[in-house]
Amino acid sequence: METRNKNPVFVSLASFIFLLYSFPQFCCAANDTIKQGESIWDGGSLVSGNNSFELGFFSPGNSTLRYVGIWYKFDSEAVVWVANRNKPISGRNGVLRIEDGKLVVRDGNNSLVWSSNVSGSSNGTAAKLLNTGNFVLSRDDSIGDTSRALWQSFDEPTDTFLPGMRVPVSSKIGEFQPYISWKSPNDPSPGNYSLGVDPNGGQQIVMWDLNKGRRRWRSGQWNQQFFTGVPFMRNNATTLHGFDISQPDENGTMYITYTASTPGNFRFQISWEGREKQSRWDASKKKWDYLQSEPDPANECELYNFCGNYSTCDRLDRRRCICLEGFRPKSQAQWNARNWSGGCVRKIDLQCPITNGTAVGKAKPDIFKKSKCTKLPDLATLLPSEGDIDACSKRCSENCLCIAYAFIPGIRCMIWTGNLVDMQYFHQGGSLDFFYRLHHSESDRGRKISDLEIVIISLVVTGFLVASLWLLWRFRTKLNVSSKPCCKDNDVAVFDVSKGKSKEFSTDLSGPADILIDGNQVHAPELQNFDFSCIVTATNNFCEGNRLGQGGFGSVYKGELPGGEQIAVKRLAGHSGQGLEEFKTEIILIAKLQHRNLVRLLGCSIQGEEKLLIYEYMPNKSLDNLLFDEAKKAELDWKTRLSIIEGIARGLLYLHRDSRHRIIHRDLKASNILLDAEMNPKISDFGMARMFGGNQNEANTVRVVGTYGYMSPEYAMEGLFSVKSDVYSFGVLLLEIVSGQRNNSFRSFDHTSLLAYAWRLWSEDKVTDLVDPCIRDSCSPNEVLKCIQIGMLCVQDSPAHRPKMDAVMVFLESETATLPTPTKPTYTSLKAAVEEEYVLDGQEIVSSNDVTITTIVGR
Ligand SMILES: *[C@@H]1O[C@H](CO)[C@@H](O)[C@H](O)[C@H]1NC(C)=O
Ligand SMILES: *[C@@H]1O[C@H](CO)[C@@H](O)[C@H](O)[C@H]1NC(C)=O
Ligand SMILES: *[C@@H]1O[C@H](CO)[C@@H](O)[C@H](O)[C@H]1NC(C)=O
Ligand SMILES: *[C@@H]1O[C@H](CO)[C@@H](O)[C@H](O)[C@H]1NC(C)=O
Ligand SMILES: *[C@@H]1O[C@H](CO)[C@@H](O)[C@H](O)[C@H]1NC(C)=O
Ligand SMILES: *[C@@H]1O[C@H](CO)[C@@H](O)[C@H](O)[C@H]1NC(C)=O
Ligand SMILES: *[C@@H]1O[C@H](CO)[C@@H](O)[C@H](O)[C@H]1NC(C)=O
Ligand SMILES: *[C@@H]1O[C@H](CO)[C@@H](O)[C@H](O)[C@H]1NC(C)=O
Ligand SMILES: *[C@@H]1O[C@H](CO)[C@@H](O)[C@H](O)[C@H]1NC(C)=O
Ligand SMILES: *[C@@H]1O[C@H](CO)[C@@H](O)[C@H](O)[C@H]1NC(C)=O
Ligand SMILES: *[C@@H]1O[C@H](CO)[C@@H](O)[C@H](O)[C@H]1NC(C)=O
């Protein structure tokens, strides 16, 4: 100490540093606290400790009025809280100060425009702007302590929910609507929409339309993991959201909280147009990334009760609104005019007199019908005490007022006593079933069908189990192979599956996948070996934002090589054994193929468990992306669609006939057709393809892989595949392209598949009804007719009746050829019944998980 004090330079430096830290207002440190008697005039501001939020005066949009608010320091447009939203200040003489222990805002005439509502006033308080964006008023001895706050802005939000906020959910409070939208981007005063919670019948988030005095959107009930009506959450419950609802405290109040699972600035805002938008700040691009928007502007099904009572909304069904079974539209005329608001009514009234508590002299009890509608109806009553589904069912059937029930893990027993409103069919993300009451006479038809279905399902399940067991066994024997290097570290790679015999290809087709394994060395000189770390960089470490899609065996990412070349990278799911065979098949097959209608494999990369395939990048993604999207399908006019059909046909013809090896693709479907910048189709995903010897025409496999809806009868049932099974898939694809409807989700309650529907129209001479409405005007009727006829020819039951691809090509190109008359595809309706009931649309059998199978068994 002694020596130090003697050094004058040190002393002055030390006192300077001391000053710097003790009086931040002298320097650059943030000023985040305002004390009794201090004022912030228009122009001054508080900044939170780590520079994340700022509080001060602002004018929104092109308004000249002044408001006190909090915004992000890095984006002053993003206002998260406004104090005087109801009473703007007209000049620049406003002031924020603490008076008598309260925060107040006064205008230039010193009249009060806003004050924090603190009961009882006391001197000696201070308010601090926290790093979370919370502005907290507390006593001098606990500045910034939220647990002892006298008042905090998080308790009086305007239109923005920030991580760290807690929204109380309590049946004592009832519906609680703390968030109210701005009137317009230029006016923060309360607008037409509010957002909050409804604690009754399962906690859910609800948006209200204040103008119309009714709900606008709801999240669906919380099941302890996610809000069941938000598809975004259903698809990945664990990673994509951080919502939680706490256990009830001593007063029965629960709190909704949000903790982001990844770092970053997140906000949830109810916008002035009535959408709840989740966004994250992208610091590199200096803009907000909008992660989701509810209700989704592209999906009218998300609007509250869009289809009316007792009706389900299905965004992928062109009928859009579908009455529950046993119900009919209240007004058929309005329904036909696509005015759904009237909803549906019962065909046969219930026997239980709904107005009286118990049934009288009933001959036969009502029945309960299962609905697969996955957004459960609104306005439920919770009976969490009912321990299991049987108790829940009993409780409902004993009470005539109960018209439906559901037993959902995480929510438990729910019953409905009012009308069933706001239901929506989801195509992904598991299903929540409920059961609704119908007159007993409605049961007959349903019963017969379900008996038949049960038989089919048992067969299918047995098939699945055998196939998966076999897969497992198969995989075990292949593990050794997988640990060997695949691509060497030189530009010209040698694909060396294992040392040993080196005959060119095995044409041994006694079992599936035999071409690759068992010691074959395959030279693939066109194939480049990419450095793994280089691909990691190119795809931004496989970041979520680069993900293009998810296939059965892994994800596909977009990447950019140092030279600027864009690539698509397929990353095989690390530890899953599935996909290894497909990986090898794909490398061996596709490296040898060169055709403008086949996607080009540029190379591969292998490091440890990681296996990557690198393809040319297709800017227009896959066909299903456009074709089945209501908003985008119009981009595909008839000319484009026809050229896509022809391109696919050419690619397939090349595989079947013109390449050096006869190749069966086995998984032709819309999502495997990629589109380049000029909308040229390219067949992709050769993971399931099989190569045939010169005069081999047909093969058999015990491992049936493929996608429902595209699999030919002989393949799905007997595992028999040939070029004709690809022709079948092509036929389905062709009909999908013409109609803009998915075959495997052209689901309906009357068990029609797209193929059966197409046949019906064909036989009734009304095929133009099949044509996608958005190309009906632009298409040439003759061409469409021809295409549909070719499609019908390709999907005939008997492989012998289906044309080969070269004949298809002739039909497509010729103006004059007379086409054979197709026969009726009988197989489809049966198949459709099975898949509709038990396989989620678009899921591949191979990737269908245990959950799906268990559901089937459980039925
Ligand atoms: C910090 O806040 C106080 C009280 O509002 C104010 O008097 C002072 O000028 C502020 N200092 C800076 C540097 O903004
Ligand atoms: C500014 O105000 C005018 C007139 O009120 C309005 O038409 C315009 O859209 C506003 N501009 C912005 C950016 O909000
Ligand atoms: C102050 O009061 C006068 C008279 O009431 C009014 O004309 C003026 O607009 C007010 N100024 C502000 C800034 O509110
Ligand atoms: C302040 O709070 C009391 C009780 O909570 C309430 O009655 C009163 O209306 C509030 N005043 C304002 C201006 O919000
Ligand atoms: C707070 O202090 C001011 C000025 O010292 C005084 O006028 C006022 O009465 C005090 N208020 C209370 C509630 O103590
Ligand atoms: C400031 O702190 C908050 C809360 O701790 C954190 O979420 C945020 O990322 C930080 N911001 C900066 C710019 O460090
Ligand atoms: C969600 O993502 C996590 C981590 O990526 C993964 O482990 C989990 O299986 C995913 N869940 C679903 C349902 O896809
Ligand atoms: C429960 O309510 C009482 C009375 O309103 C209140 O004093 C107490 O703080 C509340 N408990 C909790 C945990 O909020
Ligand atoms: C809010 O409601 C009013 C009155 O119906 C209407 O004029 C206005 O356009 C609505 N604003 C929005 C953003 O919908
Ligand atoms: C309604 O219920 C009451 C008792 O619950 C019964 O006495 C009465 O007869 C019932 N009415 C009809 C019309 O069934
Ligand atoms: C639909 O059900 C709701 C809720 O029970 C009811 O208020 C409304 O009147 C019903 N609408 C029609 C058209 O029946």
Side-chain angles (χ1 to χ4, degrees):
M1 279 307 268
E2 289 279 283
T3 46
R4 277 183 192 174
N5 270 345
K6 279 174 191 157
N7 183 339
V9 177
F10 177 81
V11 172
S12 53
L13 194 65
S15 33
F16 178 68
I17 290 171
F18 172 74
L19 277 178
L20 218 72
Y21 280 92
S22 33
F23 303 104
Q25 60 267 48
F26 292 156
C27 180
C28 45
N31 196 2
D32 62 2
T33 306
I34 175 174
K35 295 201 170 115
Q36 174 79 33
E38 293 177 338
S39 305
I40 296 176
W41 296 93
D42 196 337
S45 67
L46 297 180
V47 175
S48 74
N50 73 357
N51 243 355
S52 49
F53 288 94
E54 183 167 13
L55 178 147
F57 290 79
F58 73 100
S59 295
N62 57 11
S63 159
T64 55
L65 298 171
R66 303 298 284 171
Y67 297 86
V68 172
I70 299 176
W71 56 87
Y72 288 93
K73 181 79 175 135
F74 49 76
D75 179 10
S76 60
E77 306 266 283
V79 175
V80 298
W81 181 76
V82 184
N84 55 326
R85 68 187 302 190
N86 288 311
K87 266 196 180 177
I89 300 168
S90 51
R92 295 206 169 222
N93 294 315
V95 62
L96 167 73
R97 61 165 75 103
I98 297 187
E99 290 174 3
D100 290 343
K102 283 188 227 170
L103 279 163
V104 298
V105 176
R106 294 184 181 277
D107 66 11
N109 286 348
N110 209 30
S111 55
L112 188 70
V113 296
W114 178 82
S115 97
S116 66
N117 195 0
V118 183
S119 54
S121 56
S122 69
N123 279 337
T125 59
K128 180 173 177 180
L129 180 61
L130 305 185
N131 286 337
T132 53
N134 195 1
F135 190 39
V136 182
L137 179 72
S138 49
R139 287 186 214 292
D140 275 341
D141 57 356
S142 55
I143 295 175
D145 183 350
T146 51
S147 64
R148 296 172 62 187
L150 299 166
W151 175 91
Q152 50 186 324
S153 65
F154 271 19
D155 286 342
E156 265 177 36
T158 46
D159 70 337
T160 304
F161 175 88
L162 292 173
M165 280 190 182
R166 304 189 319 156
V167 183
V169 189
S170 144
S171 41
K172 272 189 211 145
I173 303 175
E175 283 178 2
F176 180 51
Q177 313 180 17
Y179 299 88
I180 297 177
S181 66
W182 286 21
K183 209 164 232 151
S184 79
N186 305 320
D187 183 359
S189 62
N192 293 351
Y193 305 100
S194 71
L195 188 73
V197 292
D198 175 8
N200 303 312
Q203 307 86 38
Q204 48 182 344
I205 297 177
V206 178
M207 183 185 300
W208 286 268
D209 186 326
L210 299 171
N211 234 356
K212 299 193 176 126
R214 61 172 193 226
R215 297 184 175 202
R216 172 170 163 81
W217 171 82
R218 69 186 177 102
S219 66
Q221 295 87 352
W222 173 256
N223 72 353
Q224 310 300 328
Q225 286 188 301
F226 54 90
F227 292 101
T228 52
V230 184
F232 177 79
M233 291 186 176
R234 305 166 59 85
N235 293 343
N236 197 330
T238 52
T239 53
L240 291 175
H241 77 88
F243 283 102
D244 199 9
I245 301 189
S246 66
Q247 292 302 312
D249 67 13
E250 62 194 36
N251 296 335
T253 307
M254 300 176 263
Y255 291 92
I256 298 185
T257 56
Y258 179 85
T259 318
S261 54
T262 53
N265 290 288
F266 290 85
R267 62 173 177 155
F268 299 80
Q269 187 191 24
I270 172 166
S271 71
W272 64 278
E273 320 100 304
R275 310 217 178 264
E276 184 256 72
K277 294 179 174 173
Q278 178 184 2
S279 53
R280 174 175 50 195
W281 179 250
D282 184 336
S284 60
K285 294 196 189 117
K286 296 230 171 298
K287 67 175 188 57
W288 291 93
D289 274 342
Y290 286 90
L291 306 175
Q292 66 165 335
S293 173
E294 308 284 359
D296 183 350
N299 182 5
E300 54 197 9
C301 284
E302 296 204 332
L303 293 172
Y304 189 80
N305 209 20
F306 180 76
C307 283
N309 299 351
Y310 299 106
S311 171
T312 307
C313 194
D314 183 345
R315 68 177 302 208
L316 295 182
D317 193 308
R318 56 198 186 99
R319 290 169 301 172
R320 189 66 75 244
C321 294
I322 301 153
C323 291
L324 291 179
E325 218 174 299
F327 289 77
R328 59 171 172 75
K330 191 169 188 176
S331 153
Q332 189 65 49
Q334 283 194 359
W335 206 256
N336 292 347
R338 298 180 85 78
N339 175 0
W340 322 112
S341 56
C344 303
V345 293
R346 277 181 202 283
K347 287 181 186 157
I348 308 175
D349 279 344
L350 291 177
Q351 220 163 19
C352 250
I354 281 286
T355 47
N356 210 338
T358 48
V360 266
K362 51 184 172 177
K364 254 181 164 179
D366 292 330
I367 55 148
F368 280 88
K369 189 98 198 159
K370 179 169 170 176
S371 169
K372 295 186 299 140
C373 150
T374 51
K375 188 168 191 172
L376 295 173
D378 199 10
L379 310 174
T381 307
L382 275 191
L383 302 174
S385 54
E386 305 307 320
D388 60 12
I389 185 152
D390 294 330
C392 187
S393 150
K394 186 154 173 283
R395 187 66 183 271
C396 186
S397 50
E398 281 172 353
N399 177 358
C400 278
L401 294 175
C402 175
I403 58 160
Y405 69 90
F407 190 87
I408 308 293
I411 308 178
R412 305 180 72 78
C413 184
M414 313 169 83
I415 64 166
W416 284 266
T417 53
N419 294 330
L420 300 179
V421 299
D422 190 33
M423 293 170 282
Q424 193 185 335
Y425 184 85
F426 288 138
H427 288 260
Q428 281 176 325
S431 71
L432 299 172
D433 302 328
F434 72 93
F435 300 82
Y436 59 95
R437 191 187 282 269
L438 279 183
H439 188 264
H440 66 80
S441 63
E442 295 278 357
S443 69
D444 299 334
R445 212 191 46 171
R447 284 273 158 78
K448 268 178 215 146
I449 291 169
S450 55
D451 281 348
L452 177 62
E453 282 169 351
I454 285 166
V455 173
I456 296 166
I457 290 131
S458 327
L459 287 175
V460 171
V461 169
T462 320
F464 278 4
L465 289 178
V466 170
S468 17
L469 280 176
W470 185 85
L471 248 169
L472 266 175
W473 170 82
R474 179 99 202 160
F475 169 58
R476 272 161 53 94
T477 64
K478 296 294 146 56
L479 266 178
N480 315 352
V481 179
S482 78
S483 58
K484 303 238 164 74
C486 174
C487 301
K488 294 257 174 66
D489 247 329
N490 50 10
D491 274 358
V492 177
V494 173
F495 185 90
D496 183 1
V497 176
S498 80
K499 315 261 178 301
K501 298 174 281 172
S502 64
K503 62 181 156 133
E504 231 226 359
F505 286 103
S506 162
T507 48
D508 172 12
L509 290 160
S510 57
D514 285 330
I515 1 157
L516 339 166
I517 323 292
D518 304 333
N520 296 304
Q521 195 180 56
V522 180
H523 295 274
E526 313 86 339
L527 210 58
Q528 218 187 333
N529 189 21
F530 286 82
D531 183 32
F532 183 75
S533 61
C534 153
I535 301 298
V536 170
T537 315
T539 58
N540 215 343
N541 199 9
F542 302 106
C543 96
E544 201 54 42
N546 280 23
R547 190 148 92 162
L548 297 172
Q550 171 85 44
F553 304 112
S555 300
V556 181
Y557 298 84
K558 181 181 176 180
E560 193 172 311
L561 294 177
E565 188 186 358
Q566 294 188 317
I567 53 172
V569 180
K570 185 192 221 171
R571 183 194 204 187
L572 267 77
H575 310 285
S576 89
Q578 285 183 347
L580 183 62
E581 304 247 357
E582 285 72 13
F583 180 70
K584 290 176 184 162
T585 311
E586 184 133 21
I587 290 186
I588 293 176
L589 285 188
I590 197 174
K592 298 179 158 302
L593 302 174
Q594 287 279 351
H595 189 269
R596 66 188 295 263
N597 293 115
L598 304 184
V599 74
R600 226 159 64 74
L601 182 68
L602 303 175
C604 67
S605 177
I606 294 195
Q607 178 163 313
E609 288 281 320
E610 292 284 358
K611 294 174 196 66
L612 311 176
L613 290 168
I614 292 108
Y615 304 89
E616 56 180 333
Y617 175 67
M618 292 288 142
N620 280 313
K621 301 194 180 158
S622 54
L623 177 60
D624 61 339
N625 247 313
L626 294 176
L627 189 58
F628 303 133
D629 189 312
E630 294 299 333
K632 298 189 198 146
K633 61 182 2 180
E635 284 172 33
L636 295 171
D637 58 18
W638 172 244
K639 243 184 84 215
T640 314
R641 291 192 198 201
L642 188 60
S643 90
I644 290 174
I645 292 171
E646 287 170 345
I648 300 168
R650 266 185 231 113
L652 210 49
L653 180 60
Y654 171 82
L655 289 178
H656 287 178
R657 195 191 67 184
D658 297 338
S659 68
R660 280 180 295 154
H661 313 277
R662 177 185 301 231
I663 288 162
I664 317 287
H665 186 281
R666 294 212 300 171
D667 198 20
L668 195 66
K669 55 179 170 179
S671 58
N672 282 344
I673 305 298
L674 304 181
L675 299 171
D676 70 8
E678 279 85 42
M679 290 286 183
N680 292 314
K682 311 230 173 191
I683 300 173
S684 78
D685 211 330
F686 288 75
M688 296 181 187
R690 289 293 171 264
M691 200 180 318
F692 274 22
N695 39 26
Q696 185 105 21
N697 280 324
E698 206 179 50
N700 205 312
T701 178
V702 256
R703 181 187 174 197
V704 176
V705 292
T707 305
Y708 265 158
Y710 294 93
M711 280 195 285
S712 61
E714 77 274 16
Y715 180 47
M717 305 242 175
E718 299 158 52
L720 211 58
F721 63 90
S722 66
V723 290
K724 295 295 187 68
S725 34
D726 275 355
V727 169
Y728 183 91
S729 311
F730 173 79
V732 174
L733 191 51
L734 200 161
L735 293 173
E736 287 183 331
I737 294 173
V738 172
S739 66
Q741 299 288 329
R742 275 181 209 270
N743 185 37
N744 63 0
S745 64
F746 187 88
R747 50 172 291 286
S748 57
F749 292 111
D750 56 359
H751 298 283
T752 342
S753 73
L754 175 59
L755 301 194
Y757 181 61
W759 172 260
R760 205 178 72 216
L761 294 176
W762 163 263
S763 54
E764 292 169 9
D765 226 343
K766 294 195 295 201
V767 275
T768 41
D769 287 6
L770 186 68
V771 179
D772 193 336
C774 62
I775 56 165
R776 239 169 242 172
D777 295 330
S778 67
C779 68
S780 133
N782 286 342
E783 284 171 352
V784 167
L785 201 68
K786 186 170 73 178
C787 280
I788 294 175
Q789 188 167 357
I790 296 172
M792 299 305 305
L793 287 168
C794 292
V795 298
Q796 295 177 99
D797 289 352
S798 158
H801 290 157
R802 293 174 215 147
K804 283 192 179 166
M805 281 321 289
D806 45 12
V808 168
M809 215 52 238
V810 171
F811 295 155
L812 276 173
E813 282 171 359
S814 152
E815 305 274 355
T816 52
T818 28
L819 272 60
T821 311
T823 58
K824 181 175 181 180
T826 55
Y827 152 85
T828 56
S829 47
L830 190 67
K831 197 70 204 154
V834 175
E835 86 193 26
E836 179 195 313
E837 200 68 31
Y838 301 102
V839 175
L840 290 172
D841 304 295
Q843 281 200 350
E844 288 144 348
I845 303 181
V846 176
S847 63
S848 64
N849 51 31
D850 293 343
V851 180
T852 317
I853 292 174
T854 324
T855 321
I856 298 165
V857 176
R859 257 206 55 121

